[in-house]
Amino acid sequence: MRNDIDQELLNKLSAGLERLDAQYDDISPPSLPAVEQFLAAEALRRRRQSRKELLLFWFVALFLLMIILTVLGNAPVIYWILQAAFPLAALGGYAVTRFRLRREDGEQ
């Protein structure tokens, strides 16, 4: 009984693999120079993309630093209030999340 089921599954698997082979039989792999050219172009594209992302990062970082230094120079009280408000808001959000999770665990 078990041997018949195994044989049937093996036949189905073989038939499926043969159909798959038949569909992809006419596709030829690309030539080695074409693959090398594609890889070189892709490496160049990735390098350019990395350079562009790094430049964007530096511009945003310098812009934010310029804003922070401007606020610190013109209104130090506002700067220090913001320095205290953001961590307090993060801690408050964390506490609310923990409280909700604890309450949900207690209901179950």
Side-chain angles (χ1 to χ4, degrees):
M1 177 81 176
R2 178 78 177 152
N3 196 14
D4 293 338
I5 294 173
D6 289 345
Q7 189 62 37
E8 182 182 339
L9 289 175
L10 185 60
N11 289 339
K12 284 183 182 180
L13 179 63
S14 295
L17 288 174
E18 286 174 9
R19 276 195 319 234
L20 187 64
D21 286 342
Q23 286 185 355
Y24 291 102
D25 198 25
D26 59 340
I27 296 176
S28 61
S31 65
L32 183 61
V35 171
E36 287 175 346
Q37 183 181 8
F38 172 75
L39 290 175
E42 185 65 21
L44 182 62
R45 186 191 68 79
R46 286 184 184 216
R47 251 185 276 136
R48 286 180 180 163
Q49 183 70 25
S50 293
R51 191 174 302 136
K52 188 186 301 183
E53 288 175 0
L54 183 63
L55 282 173
L56 181 64
F57 170 79
W58 276 108
F59 285 135
V60 169
L62 288 174
F63 180 72
L64 290 174
L65 185 63
M66 183 179 64
I67 288 174
I68 289 172
L69 290 176
T70 302
V71 169
L72 180 60
N74 292 333
V77 173
I78 294 173
Y79 175 79
W80 290 113
I81 289 172
L82 290 175
Q83 287 294 317
F86 284 117
L88 288 175
L91 288 174
Y94 177 71
V96 167
T97 304
R98 291 282 300 212
F99 180 72
R100 285 184 183 168
L101 288 174
R102 190 172 292 155
R103 189 173 60 188
E104 286 176 3
D105 288 341
E107 290 175 1
Q108 291 177 356

